[in-house]
Amino acid sequence: MVMKKTLLVVDDEPSIRLILEHYFTSDFDVVLKSNGLEAIQWLEKGNNADAIIADYAMPVMDGLDFIKRLRANILHHSTPLLMLSGKDETSNKIKCLKQGADDYVVKPFNPEELDLRVRKLLDKVKV
């Protein structure tokens, strides 16, 4: 039996978490967190994610702070990270990519496109 990869979804919108969980659950073990701090705490407890989808605008710890904290940790500095945002502003995309995000998708998104992007990121990290 092949172990499923773990996908960490970090978004403060329950509907987005539900959509992503529903879409990805057949191929991934999906872990849901409602803000960046919850996600960082989960990772710091020794949990690991093969890929992460995180929202840009979240309470407690926003997407940029989440990227900084994630990339500062040697265990997670190269984990594939795709950012989601309701804002299609180029400046936000650039900020996220400069901080270490691997991709940036604007909401509303097509789950199939998101799936393809996540798989491409995972393909890049295969040894």
Side-chain angles (χ1 to χ4, degrees), residues 34-120:
S34 60
N35 65 60
L37 185 60
E38 277 184 18
I40 290 293
Q41 289 171 339
W42 181 80
L43 289 165
E44 286 176 348
K45 285 181 184 156
N47 296 299
N48 210 0
D50 294 292
I52 301 170
I53 298 175
D55 189 21
Y56 181 81
M58 296 181 286
V60 186
M61 181 188 288
D62 69 13
L64 281 180
D65 286 338
F66 175 71
I67 297 170
K68 286 178 195 167
R69 288 279 301 272
L70 184 76
R71 295 308 186 215
N73 185 321
I74 191 75
L75 297 173
H76 310 293
H77 77 278
S78 60
T79 302
L81 173 62
L82 185 148
M83 296 301 292
L84 288 179
S85 178
K87 293 183 169 73
D88 193 10
E89 294 165 21
T90 303
S91 63
N92 282 0
K93 291 179 188 176
I94 290 169
K95 280 183 209 164
C96 287
L97 294 169
K98 275 187 173 175
Q99 285 298 332
D102 297 296
D103 203 349
Y104 186 102
V105 174
V106 178
K107 297 176 187 176
F109 54 84
N110 177 325
E112 190 176 354
E113 178 190 353
L114 210 55
D115 184 42
L116 289 168
R117 288 175 179 266
V118 167
R119 289 176 192 284
K120 281 203 172 299

